[in-house]
Amino acid sequence: MPHVQSSEGLDACFVGVPFDLGTSNRTGTCFGPRQVRSEFVLLRPYNMAMRAAPFDSLRVADIGDVAINPYNLLDSIDRIERAYREILKHNCKPITLGGDHTIALPILRAIHAKHGKVGLIHIDAHADVNDTMFGEKIAHGTPFRCAVEEGPAGLLARRADRPARHGLRSWRFRLVPRAGLSRGADGRVLEQVARAADRGRKCARRWVTIPCTSPSISTASIPRSRRVRVRRRSPD
């Protein structure tokens, strides 16, 4: 993966956020960006299964890590937001190598500042909508509660036609349990995701957070502001 100093002139960029000050258990996600990059040596410029050559169509590079403050959570949050505002200023799509889930909040703030409300798809074993954790408002289990409550109307685009209920549905989130996928509902879930993305396209940008299974690379946050076409090569 090529390395550059700035997102200027890029279609997409990889950016590391080596941060785990918000975790309550099993720290170490600050080493996630380093571990993901160690796998870049296996990266191929051509996907044989899809016959896609994304690097022929997109300008992509690694722009390094956000310089967080390892001794101060709130200062690090501000640093991450400023870094992402700079990335988004160049209309570049950041692909984040985290980092614990706390980093979702400053990144969402930066996206909201540029694009307005954000459509969010969060794939995780936890909803991360706690009010506080050990009395702290900002932590790895609270970012999406903060995103709902911040400002006059929150940072996220949500369904206005659904009645308020208890728990997650009180914020008009759609919850899809893992058990539903086990019963063969994958296609229906994908349809729901597509509809949510369509709603987000009308008023905001879409953001997908995907926690990986390894605790060393706990968070991978991928912005999806629009569908990107990739060039396909012929079989011969």
Side-chain angles (χ1 to χ4, degrees):
M1 178 67 63
H3 180 272
V4 298
Q5 298 296 321
S6 168
S7 63
E8 185 174 5
L10 298 178
D11 296 307
C13 69
F14 288 89
V15 54
V17 185
F19 176 94
D20 62 5
L21 295 178
T23 54
S24 57
N25 183 35
R26 201 163 58 182
T27 59
T29 51
C30 61
F31 300 112
R34 183 179 69 182
Q35 186 62 35
V36 172
R37 288 187 177 103
S38 73
E39 302 299 322
F40 279 178
V41 296
L42 301 176
L43 192 66
R44 303 292 192 272
Y46 177 67
N47 187 309
M48 297 181 65
M50 299 179 63
R51 297 190 306 193
F55 294 106
D56 288 356
S57 306
L58 301 173
R59 293 165 295 178
V60 184
D62 189 334
I63 65 169
D65 289 345
V66 175
I68 68 157
N69 181 345
Y71 301 105
N72 190 307
L73 183 148
L74 295 180
D75 182 44
S76 293
I77 294 299
D78 291 339
R79 288 167 177 253
I80 295 168
E81 181 179 351
R82 290 197 301 269
Y84 274 76
R85 283 177 180 252
E86 182 66 23
I87 293 170
L88 296 168
K89 181 176 71 176
H90 300 297
N91 296 316
C92 177
K93 299 170 183 60
I95 303 172
T96 302
L97 314 176
D100 73 55
H101 282 192
T102 314
I103 69 175
L105 179 59
I107 296 172
L108 287 170
R109 285 172 175 171
I111 297 175
H112 180 269
K114 181 175 177 62
H115 297 295
K117 286 186 177 294
V118 183
L120 177 76
I121 300 170
H122 180 216
I123 305 171
D124 192 0
H126 315 95
D128 296 342
V129 292
N130 292 309
D131 184 21
T132 61
M133 296 187 73
F134 294 96
E136 298 297 326
K137 191 69 176 177
I138 297 180
H140 72 146
T142 68
F144 304 123
R145 174 74 168 261
C146 293
V148 168
E149 296 179 342
E150 279 199 2
L155 308 179
L156 304 180
R158 293 168 292 147
R159 293 186 60 171
D161 60 329
R162 294 181 64 85
R165 302 179 186 175
H166 295 293
L168 286 173
R169 292 180 176 83
S170 67
W171 299 301
R172 300 187 177 91
F173 287 167
R174 180 185 292 276
L175 177 64
V176 180
R178 176 64 181 87
L181 298 179
S182 301
R183 292 193 294 268
D186 305 60
R188 292 193 297 274
V189 170
L190 290 176
E191 290 176 1
Q192 293 177 17
V193 170
R195 287 197 297 270
D198 286 337
R199 287 194 300 272
R201 186 184 303 119
K202 296 175 182 177
C203 61
R205 291 296 183 264
R206 287 163 286 162
W207 183 268
V208 182
T209 72
I210 308 175
C212 300
T213 55
S214 169
S216 66
I217 46 175
S218 175
T219 304
S221 303
I222 309 174
R224 294 289 301 277
S225 61
R226 60 183 174 83
R227 189 177 298 277
V228 177
R229 295 180 181 272
V230 296
R231 183 178 303 167
R232 295 181 182 273
R233 292 176 177 170
S234 60
D236 51 356

